[in-house]
Amino acid sequence: MNECKTTPTKSIRFSQTKKWHYKTDVSVIGYGGAGACAAIEAADAGASVTIFELSSGAGGSTALSSAEIYMGGDGGTRVQAATGHNDTNQAMIDYLSACAGPQADADKIKAYVEGSRDHFNWLVEQGVPFKDSEYKERAIMALTDDCLLYTGSEKAWPFKEIATPCPRGHNLEVEGDNGGPLFMKILGAAVERREIQVHFNCRALALIQDDTGVIRGIRIREDMQEKNVLVDRGVILCTGGFSMNRAMLKKYAPNLLRCSEPIGNPGDMGTGILMGMGVGGAAINMHEGFVSIPYYPPASFTYGLFINAQGQRFINEDCYHGRVGAYILQQTGNRVYLVLSAEDYGDYEQVSYLGASVAGTGETIAELEQELGLPKDQLVQTLQTYNNHAKNGEDPVFHKCSEWLKPLNAPYVALDVTPGRGAFYPYFTLGGLDTRPSGEVLNPEGSIITGLYAAGRTACGVPRRGAGYNSGISVGDATFSGRMAGKAAAARVK
Amino acid sequence: MNECKTTPTKSIRFSQTKKWHYKTDVSVIGYGGAGACAAIEAADAGASVTIFELSSGAGGSTALSSAEIYMGGDGGTRVQAATGHNDTNQAMIDYLSACAGPQADADKIKAYVEGSRDHFNWLVEQGVPFKDSEYKERAIMALTDDCLLYTGSEKAWPFKEIATPCPRGHNLEVEGDNGGPLFMKILGAAVERREIQVHFNCRALALIQDDTGVIRGIRIREDMQEKNVLVDRGVILCTGGFSMNRAMLKKYAPNLLRCSEPIGNPGDMGTGILMGMGVGGAAINMHEGFVSIPYYPPASFTYGLFINAQGQRFINEDCYHGRVGAYILQQTGNRVYLVLSAEDYGDYEQVSYLGASVAGTGETIAELEQELGLPKDQLVQTLQTYNNHAKNGEDPVFHKCSEWLKPLNAPYVALDVTPGRGAFYPYFTLGGLDTRPSGEVLNPEGSIITGLYAAGRTACGVPRRGAGYNSGISVGDATFSGRMAGKAAAARVK
């Protein structure tokens, strides 16, 4: 991670820009999932389009991801329908709204859901392969070429009481964790089939703004030279979030620095967010991030109990790993453990991404409690209560679903999952520029900054809370919001 | 609260400003605690000073507050020393750093602490009366004219393990909750003794900025007319936070809208924050707020237990009410109760600000548990554990100090303190413009916006977290940061 920021926020004045090196209707900054989709839609709407990308190839953080895509609603995508899932817009809206909680953007969720089935079809048209099959394991991602899986907390309390559960994570038809590279290869080919100019190894330096505030171009640096790009319809910022910018994290999302590893590509420096702020754009929800604690596989760890320094449970362990991560960061006290029956420990060391070490073991739970230095009888009581109910298939305390309930038998083992003590806590940022569903960037009063658009993690999109994250919602939101911004920018009349 | 914002963020260009109606070295926007102190210091440093205030009198939110002031360190203020408290800078720095947690601004805390004893003396010089006495009750505020009291979580876990506890809340020598009006009357008189121009009923409309980015003035509206103010040295934004701006709260701090009542004056509309953002200033920590659940007096409620929907405790009940409020907002589930022994219920209805209604009573704790609809045996176990330890003066689970530990005897009563169900949850915002300790406003890269300063809740100051708030730290920070900004602006050489 870089301690320094590299891009100034300050815009350049149009009236003082004398020479124009390039001219385009729509300029897309950043060639990841959002940028590719923005460029394709803008080109298909008849605009001339130029992509400027810092690195020497397409991909961005999307290519580094699993590229699961969160889609559904309206009777179901082709895959949902083929696998017998009758999803509805209402269920998907209710679910995503609960996920975002008080931070929800109702307009954005509505647009995303109502456009979701069409988004699936659009991706298929671009050549993205989805198999009409379901992956039924509880996993961070499908490592087979199967498509549909639960990638959030849909079946977990309290969400299951809010919206009818439905799997919405769509995995590409490819073996292994190879969705991202394939997905970006396909989108890259779709870009290449169109009349879209692409400049690699090219840094966006600043926006060019006229005296009325309208964004009229960008200044770039390529081949050791600063150049000006005249943009007739719109600049679309698709430069990712700010996970790799330590100074920005410290300023805006210091709590995320308690995690172990920012994920994304080295260009996730907040460049686009800073450029947007520099012309008056509002950056919102800047403290939030996705925080994972990848404790499954093995799925058997879901039988276990997360325990805080008070020896209490604090979450239903059948929910999404990112929700658990968000709650772990909230715990008072200096330790968090995952307590397991040894019989569920299984092939942890082979299959897990967790990297947590064993903090203690016990022939009895009292022995484990003592070894962990927990307050006397707290863990004993917690487990006793849990086991008493679990044998009846119930969890009246945290409502873990019966599928993952069974009494935990001795001997016991506890993993130390305290943030900062060795466990893997990958994270990325969820704050960004405030935009309309069209991608138009808003100032703090909610007025549009004419000619400026943002998509993907440069914008604050549908995913808004670590505690309500779902795998596939960021690539889903990036590609969908990219398309919306591409359409809107292409349609802008000067 | 107003749904609309009233002030544009956009600055006006200096080169297009033809007529100047007023000229001043330093212009202070907002005449509350921060603004008064900024004006006094700037004037004392030899600058001509003009205050512009929206309302028709001085006061701001400081006048509406209790005006406790959080001060100490360096051997103690006069009052700390007289009452036998030998405070140190290190203890105060360690404590305030723990309060702010990952969000802490180390430079700002250091400056605040190192200047704190001098700040006390400076306030005394202005005429602010502090009695050399201590108020030893556990209370939200002193209703006598006594001075020194604990106004935070200094004596509570985990803070007591991090820093030697010391009381630092300084209450003015006045009976009743009348500190704020007296404090602002004194500061107002101090302003009047100086050559400081004051314009009431005057709205700041926009900053005036030159082509190099330097702030050169402000546009105001008074007497139905827009006027331009040429400012030679610095504009100091002291317009408070954004607690009264519902649209801003929804955008930046939606979680606070779960509380019941914004506190402050109607001018807390975020005006200064928006103006700062409009010229490229970074607004940080915007999601945070002070959230109070004023459950003491009666102090006897501290013997009680806060219980979540799982029937668990989640906080040591001897900490500051604002810390409890922050943790309540984090609880999973839809209910939070304060469970009391009836013998501690006392004169609740007469002395409390809480406004929570009785959710259930029980001759036994099992009966109460059932009446509240809590998961069977959870509350029973929680209380059993608590009582077993409390009779030995211990709380190994949440480390409540022995002073507030005793077994809770039947019969029991539970108050419903779930946010949104009647209990009083006042709140105000803690996010604002990123500034140096000098008050200089910073852009997202950390560069100074020349000529622009912010203080009080318009800046993001020493207090940064609801979970680590202390009464007196906001007025303390506002007055101290106002002084620093006043000095810095007056000293600026064009």
Side-chain angles (χ1 to χ4, degrees):
Chain A
M1 273 198 294
N2 201 322
E3 282 288 340
C4 318
K5 290 190 213 67
T6 50
T7 309
T9 56
K10 212 166 159 351
S11 63
I12 291 163
R13 284 176 58 199
F14 179 73
S15 58
Q16 291 178 353
T17 310
K18 301 303 171 202
K19 184 172 173 189
W20 297 99
H21 301 78
Y22 303 109
K23 184 179 176 310
T24 185
D25 289 336
V26 172
S27 148
V28 176
I29 320 290
Y31 192 175
C37 291
I40 293 168
E41 285 283 16
D44 288 356
S48 64
V49 180
T50 313
I51 302 176
F52 298 97
E53 163 61 33
L54 179 62
S55 74
S56 50
S61 294
T62 307
L64 301 174
S65 78
S66 302
E68 291 164 327
I69 303 175
Y70 199 90
M71 297 178 289
D74 195 23
T77 63
R78 190 199 74 216
V79 181
Q80 284 181 316
T83 55
H85 294 283
N86 179 28
D87 202 2
T88 68
N89 282 358
Q90 196 57 53
M92 191 169 165
I93 287 173
D94 290 346
Y95 177 70
L96 289 176
S97 302
C99 285
Q103 285 113 298
D105 180 330
D107 291 345
K108 219 165 247 183
I109 289 173
K110 186 167 183 285
Y112 184 79
V113 170
E114 291 179 352
S116 188
R117 227 176 52 147
D118 175 69
H119 190 50
F120 174 90
N121 296 334
W122 185 86
L123 290 172
V124 170
E125 271 169 42
Q126 306 316 309
V128 180
F130 297 110
K131 189 170 161 185
D132 285 339
S133 67
E134 190 170 353
Y135 182 82
K136 296 199 174 181
E137 299 300 306
R138 173 162 164 84
I140 300 271
M141 66 200 70
L143 293 177
T144 67
D145 66 355
D146 291 305
C147 180
L148 195 66
L149 72 166
Y150 278 99
T151 55
S153 300
E154 297 88 348
K155 292 191 290 183
W157 182 84
F159 302 99
K160 65 182 176 186
E161 293 175 0
I162 294 165
T164 309
C166 192
R168 300 192 184 95
H170 287 68
N171 180 54
L172 267 64
E173 188 172 355
V174 57
E175 295 282 337
D177 184 18
N178 294 308
L182 175 60
F183 186 65
M184 284 310 300
K185 192 177 153 191
I186 292 164
L187 289 184
V191 167
E192 280 169 25
R193 283 195 301 274
R194 289 161 172 90
E195 299 265 320
I196 296 170
Q197 301 293 316
V198 183
H199 295 236
F200 290 110
N201 304 309
C202 173
R203 184 181 292 277
L205 295 176
L207 294 165
I208 299 172
Q209 191 174 25
D210 72 19
D211 292 348
T212 67
V214 175
I215 303 304
R216 301 293 296 275
I218 55 166
R219 180 166 295 169
I220 59 163
R221 186 175 172 84
E222 68 177 353
D223 301 333
M224 319 278 284
Q225 233 194 311
E226 294 198 3
K227 298 178 181 174
N228 299 317
V229 183
L230 184 65
V231 180
D232 272 355
R233 301 192 195 172
V235 173
I236 309 179
L237 301 168
C238 305
T239 68
F242 59 100
S243 302
M244 299 299 163
N245 188 325
R246 204 173 165 87
M248 268 186 91
L249 286 166
K250 206 171 161 209
K251 182 169 284 195
Y252 291 105
N255 208 32
L256 295 181
L257 292 172
R258 295 169 58 203
C259 305
S260 71
E261 206 73 46
I263 49 178
N265 80 86
D268 285 339
M269 290 289 288
T271 312
I273 298 173
L274 292 171
M275 285 200 281
M277 289 166 84
V279 295
I284 62 170
N285 204 35
M286 291 290 280
H287 65 295
E288 271 284 2
F290 161 76
V291 172
S292 168
I293 167 169
Y295 65 99
Y296 51 86
S300 58
F301 274 29
T302 308
Y303 292 118
L305 304 181
F306 282 98
I307 296 294
N308 63 21
Q310 288 78 35
Q312 301 171 321
R313 287 173 76 204
F314 52 88
I315 191 78
N316 39 326
E317 298 81 1
D318 60 335
C319 67
Y320 178 70
H321 55 96
R323 183 167 170 83
V324 175
Y327 275 87
I328 286 177
L329 286 189
Q330 288 183 4
Q331 296 307 302
T332 327
N334 54 359
R335 287 292 182 278
V336 184
Y337 300 108
L338 176 54
V339 172
L340 300 160
S341 169
E343 70 192 28
D344 297 322
Y345 190 76
D347 52 356
Y348 165 58
E349 281 143 42
Q350 280 71 54
V351 303
S352 178
Y353 309 98
L354 184 55
S357 50
V358 171
T361 57
E363 289 302 320
T364 66
I365 198 70
E367 194 186 316
L368 180 66
E369 177 183 275
Q370 197 180 7
E371 199 170 322
L372 298 178
L374 291 169
K376 191 163 167 356
D377 291 340
Q378 286 289 107
L379 178 58
V380 169
Q381 277 186 7
T382 298
L383 188 84
Q384 215 162 54
T385 302
Y386 182 81
N387 279 354
N388 282 343
H389 291 298
K391 64 173 185 271
N392 305 323
E394 287 168 6
D395 174 19
V397 183
F398 280 100
H399 315 286
K400 186 150 96 175
C401 69
S402 57
E403 184 185 352
W404 295 110
L405 285 171
K406 65 166 193 181
L408 299 186
N409 299 317
Y412 299 100
V413 56
L415 297 175
D416 186 349
V417 295
T418 312
R421 287 176 56 86
F424 181 47
Y425 276 92
Y427 66 95
F428 59 80
T429 59
L430 293 176
L433 295 171
D434 191 21
T435 56
R436 289 208 177 155
S438 59
E440 293 163 298
V441 175
L442 301 172
N443 73 9
E445 290 93 7
S447 304
I448 286 169
I449 296 168
T450 307
L452 189 64
Y453 303 79
R457 292 288 58 76
T458 306
C460 186
V462 169
R464 300 231 158 175
R465 286 204 305 182
Y469 194 80
N470 304 274
S471 287
I473 193 69
S474 191
V475 173
D477 178 69
T479 51
F480 183 79
S481 66
R483 290 180 54 213
M484 297 304 110
K487 283 188 195 191
R492 187 168 82 83
V493 178
K494 272 209 295 189
Chain B
M1 276 200 290
N2 202 320
E3 283 288 340
C4 316
K5 290 187 213 72
T6 49
T7 308
T9 55
K10 215 166 155 348
S11 63
I12 291 162
R13 285 177 56 201
F14 180 73
S15 58
Q16 290 177 354
T17 310
K18 301 303 174 204
K19 185 172 175 189
W20 298 100
H21 301 78
Y22 302 110
K23 184 178 175 310
T24 186
D25 290 335
V26 172
S27 148
V28 175
I29 320 289
Y31 192 175
C37 291
I40 293 168
E41 285 283 15
D44 287 356
S48 65
V49 180
T50 314
I51 302 177
F52 299 96
E53 163 61 34
L54 179 62
S55 73
S56 50
S61 293
T62 306
L64 301 174
S65 79
S66 302
E68 290 164 328
I69 304 175
Y70 199 89
M71 297 178 289
D74 195 23
T77 64
R78 189 199 74 216
V79 181
Q80 284 180 317
T83 54
H85 295 283
N86 179 29
D87 202 1
T88 68
N89 282 358
Q90 197 57 54
M92 192 169 166
I93 286 174
D94 290 347
Y95 177 69
L96 289 176
S97 302
C99 285
Q103 285 113 298
D105 180 330
D107 291 345
K108 219 166 246 181
I109 290 173
K110 186 166 183 285
Y112 184 79
V113 170
E114 290 180 351
S116 189
R117 226 176 53 146
D118 175 69
H119 190 50
F120 174 90
N121 296 334
W122 184 86
L123 291 172
V124 170
E125 271 169 40
Q126 306 316 308
V128 179
F130 297 110
K131 189 171 160 185
D132 285 339
S133 66
E134 190 170 353
Y135 183 82
K136 297 198 175 184
E137 299 300 307
R138 174 163 163 84
I140 300 271
M141 66 200 71
L143 293 177
T144 67
D145 65 356
D146 291 305
C147 180
L148 195 65
L149 72 165
Y150 279 99
T151 54
S153 300
E154 297 88 347
K155 291 191 290 182
W157 182 85
F159 302 99
K160 65 181 174 187
E161 294 176 0
I162 293 165
T164 308
C166 191
R168 301 191 183 96
H170 287 68
N171 180 56
L172 268 63
E173 190 172 355
V174 56
E175 295 282 338
D177 185 17
N178 294 309
L182 175 60
F183 186 66
M184 284 310 301
K185 192 176 153 193
I186 293 164
L187 289 185
V191 167
E192 280 169 25
R193 283 195 300 273
R194 290 161 171 90
E195 299 264 320
I196 296 170
Q197 300 294 315
V198 183
H199 295 238
F200 291 110
N201 304 309
C202 173
R203 185 182 291 277
L205 295 176
L207 293 165
I208 298 172
Q209 191 174 25
D210 72 20
D211 292 348
T212 67
V214 176
I215 303 305
R216 302 293 296 277
I218 55 166
R219 179 165 296 170
I220 59 163
R221 187 177 171 85
E222 70 177 351
D223 300 332
M224 320 278 285
Q225 232 193 314
E226 294 197 3
K227 297 178 181 176
N228 298 318
V229 182
L230 183 64
V231 179
D232 272 355
R233 301 192 196 171
V235 173
I236 309 178
L237 302 169
C238 306
T239 68
F242 58 100
S243 302
M244 299 300 164
N245 188 325
R246 204 173 167 86
M248 267 186 92
L249 286 166
K250 207 170 161 211
K251 181 168 286 197
Y252 291 105
N255 207 32
L256 295 180
L257 292 172
R258 296 169 57 202
C259 305
S260 70
E261 205 73 47
I263 49 178
N265 80 85
D268 286 338
M269 289 290 287
T271 311
I273 298 172
L274 292 171
M275 286 200 279
M277 288 166 84
V279 295
I284 63 171
N285 204 36
M286 292 290 280
H287 64 295
E288 272 285 0
F290 161 78
V291 171
S292 168
I293 167 169
Y295 65 99
Y296 51 86
S300 59
F301 274 29
T302 308
Y303 292 120
L305 304 182
F306 282 98
I307 295 294
N308 63 20
Q310 288 78 34
Q312 300 171 320
R313 288 172 76 204
F314 53 88
I315 191 79
N316 40 327
E317 298 82 1
D318 60 335
C319 67
Y320 178 71
H321 55 95
R323 183 168 169 83
V324 176
Y327 274 88
I328 286 177
L329 286 189
Q330 287 183 6
Q331 296 307 302
T332 327
N334 54 359
R335 287 292 182 278
V336 183
Y337 301 108
L338 176 54
V339 171
L340 300 159
S341 169
E343 70 192 28
D344 297 322
Y345 189 76
D347 51 356
Y348 165 58
E349 281 143 43
Q350 280 72 54
V351 302
S352 178
Y353 310 98
L354 183 55
S357 50
V358 172
T361 57
E363 290 302 320
T364 65
I365 198 70
E367 194 186 315
L368 179 66
E369 177 182 275
Q370 197 180 9
E371 199 170 321
L372 298 178
L374 291 169
K376 190 162 167 1
D377 291 339
Q378 286 289 107
L379 178 58
V380 169
Q381 277 187 6
T382 298
L383 188 83
Q384 217 161 52
T385 302
Y386 182 81
N387 278 356
N388 282 343
H389 291 297
K391 65 172 183 272
N392 306 321
E394 288 169 4
D395 175 18
V397 184
F398 281 100
H399 315 285
K400 185 149 98 176
C401 68
S402 57
E403 183 184 354
W404 296 108
L405 285 171
K406 64 167 194 180
L408 300 185
N409 299 316
Y412 300 99
V413 57
L415 298 174
D416 187 349
V417 294
T418 312
R421 289 176 56 87
F424 181 46
Y425 276 92
Y427 66 95
F428 59 79
T429 58
L430 294 175
L433 295 172
D434 191 22
T435 55
R436 288 206 177 158
S438 59
E440 292 163 298
V441 175
L442 302 172
N443 73 9
E445 290 95 3
S447 304
I448 287 170
I449 296 168
T450 307
L452 188 63
Y453 303 80
R457 291 289 58 76
T458 306
C460 186
V462 170
R464 300 231 157 175
R465 287 203 304 182
Y469 194 80
N470 304 275
S471 287
I473 193 69
S474 191
V475 173
D477 178 70
T479 51
F480 184 78
S481 66
R483 289 180 55 213
M484 297 304 109
K487 283 187 193 190
R492 188 169 83 84
V493 178
K494 270 209 295 189

